[in-house]
């Protein structure tokens, strides 16, 4: 069983897709983290502006 798994080429494609998916999730989380601080500042500014009127 182990030998047929090592010879099989379908495992390589699975590893590629797992790595691509992990990179996409990491990229999404990093973009979300960067945008969160900017959106928070804009939201606070908008709230203070609306409370003035």
């Amino acid at each position: 069983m182990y030998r047929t798994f090592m010879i099989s080429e379908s495992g390589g494609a699975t590893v590629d897709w797992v790595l691509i998916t992990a990179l996409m999730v990491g990229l999404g989380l990093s973009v979300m983290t960067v945008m969160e601080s900017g959106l928070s500042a804009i939201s606070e500014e908008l709230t203070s502006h609306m409370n003035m009127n």
Side-chain angles (χ1 to χ4, degrees), residues 30-48:
S30 62
V31 167
M32 187 175 71
T33 302
V34 169
M35 290 187 68
E36 180 183 13
S37 61
L39 290 175
S40 177
I42 291 171
S43 175
E44 290 173 10
E45 185 179 328
L46 182 62
T47 302
S48 66

Side-chain angles (χ1 to χ4, degrees), residues 9-29:
E9 294 182 9
S10 63
T14 303
V15 171
D16 289 345
W17 280 109
V18 168
L19 290 176
I20 290 170
T21 304
L23 287 172
M24 295 301 287
V25 168
L27 181 64
L29 288 174

